[in-house]
Every structure is written in structure tokens, then in C-alpha cells.
Amino acid sequence: MRYRAITRNREFARVYARGRSYVHPQLVLYVLKNRLGHTRVGLTATKKVGGAVQRNRARRVMREAAFATLPYDVGGYDFIFVARGQTARCKSTHLAKTAALLLAQAGFGPNGARIPPAPQKTAGRPAKAQKAPAGQGARAGGPRP
């Protein structure tokens, strides 16, 4: 099954502005729910990736990886795959594993079921310091010891 393509600049800009991003050194994935009821896919490779030959290879490899890993019955989502510097040097099978990892982070299972994202752990973060009530701080204007 071929997915519909995201072709207009304003559609890309909307996904970039409102969507969630998931980053890997070889690939970046942007995901946004749309109201269309069908899945759309966009592929981009900027000049940072390299010359025209490298950009075309990056898009070709991303296309194969995306079609191998995207679930068919998700419906109603826009996916944008952005090439990184390493993308053009990767094989499509390796990039497919990376795309599957990013889709799992986004909450899409291998069979297309939408999995709610796990809550992020906050362990290891220091607790926020409590503010002293007004009039009891060192700068409250009272006598100094």
C-alpha cells in the first residue's frame, strides 16, 4: 500500500510546529494527528546531508525503511522522516530498525495499534527548593545576627 504524500510547504510547517519529534543520530521522526482519516508521509533531506546524490540516496533509503515499518491501519497521522548526516551511509534494513525504534517511542506498535506513551521518569532530579514565606528571608529587612 502506498501512503499519501505530504507535498505542500505549509503542511510540513504545520507538522514541524505542532507535532512531536523523536530523534536518533540517523533519523528524525515528526508525528502529528490529522483530521483526514488517512496516513500521510513526508521525506526530507537537507543540504546538510550532502550533495544531490547523497540526498537522493537518503530519501530512497528512508522511503524503503518507512514503508517497511509504518503500520497500515493507523489512520489519521502525518509522519515526516528527516534525514541526518549518517542516513545516506546506512542500509535500508538498518534504517528500518531505527524507524521502528522511533515509531515505538512515538507509541505505534508493530501491528498498528496506538500505544499510549509511557510516563517519563523523574527519578534522579533534585526536588525544587521551597521559597521562604515573606518576612522570614535573609533580605526581609529584619535584624541581622
Side-chain angles (χ1 to χ4, degrees):
M1 172 185 176
R2 295 284 295 191
Y3 295 99
R4 296 182 183 168
I6 298 174
T7 56
R8 295 179 185 257
N9 188 22
R10 68 175 182 222
E11 295 168 349
F12 276 95
R14 181 175 177 269
V15 177
Y16 290 144
R18 297 183 186 169
R20 296 272 324 241
S21 65
Y22 302 92
V23 180
H24 191 272
Q26 298 164 352
L27 192 65
V28 179
L29 172 68
Y30 287 89
V31 179
L32 180 66
K33 187 163 180 63
N34 63 29
R35 297 178 184 167
L36 302 176
H38 56 268
T39 302
R40 297 188 306 175
V41 177
L43 304 171
T44 61
T46 64
K47 287 189 177 182
K48 291 180 184 179
V49 174
V53 174
Q54 286 83 16
R55 290 195 308 268
N56 287 333
R57 174 168 167 69
R59 280 191 292 265
R60 190 169 57 245
V61 171
M62 281 191 306
R63 185 181 316 121
E64 288 302 316
F67 293 156
T69 57
L70 277 176
Y72 290 113
D73 55 352
V74 172
Y77 282 92
D78 290 339
F79 296 100
I80 295 180
F81 291 92
V82 180
R84 303 291 295 266
Q86 298 178 9
T87 306
R89 294 187 295 267
C90 292
K91 300 245 183 223
S92 63
T93 55
H94 184 67
L95 205 61
K97 292 177 185 176
T98 302
L101 176 74
L102 292 176
L103 285 168
Q105 286 179 1
F108 294 95
N111 59 356
R114 180 79 170 117
I115 302 166
Q120 294 182 357
K121 295 180 182 177
T122 58
R125 284 189 175 174
K128 247 186 175 174
Q130 296 283 335
K131 286 188 175 181
Q136 296 180 8
R139 297 182 181 227
R144 291 187 171 203

